[in-house]
Amino acid sequence: MTLNRWNLAILMLLGLLASPKPALAIEGEWPQFLGPQRNGLYAENDLTTVWPAGGPPVRWKMKTGSG
């Protein structure tokens, strides 16, 4: 069975349409620079107002060079 250009194009189009679409931003996630709306605003109201005595826990550290 040989595929001509039209058959190949149709198969590729069907493959793209059948593939799962990339997920949109899940509530609270920032998938791009400045957030989902690209405005740098956090729209949720779950920000903490009280920090522990030593500050928030360190999740990761990275040694960097000079900028």
Side-chain angles (χ1 to χ4, degrees), residues 9 14 16 29 32 46:
L14 288 174
L16 287 173
E29 287 191 9
Q32 61 191 358
D46 60 349

Side-chain angles (χ1 to χ4, degrees), residues 3-19:
L3 293 176
N4 63 28
R5 289 184 185 192
W6 285 107
N7 288 344
L8 185 59
I10 290 172
L11 283 175
M12 290 175 64
L13 180 62
L14 288 174
L16 287 173
L17 292 174
S19 66

Side-chain angles (χ1 to χ4, degrees), residues 22-60:
L24 296 175
I26 297 172
E27 192 92 21
E29 287 191 9
W30 284 42
Q32 61 191 358
F33 181 67
L34 292 178
Q37 305 300 321
R38 294 186 179 176
N39 58 7
L41 299 177
Y42 184 68
E44 304 301 315
N45 57 3
D46 60 349
L47 294 174
T48 186
T49 57
V50 179
W51 293 101
V58 176
R59 300 287 182 170
W60 58 271

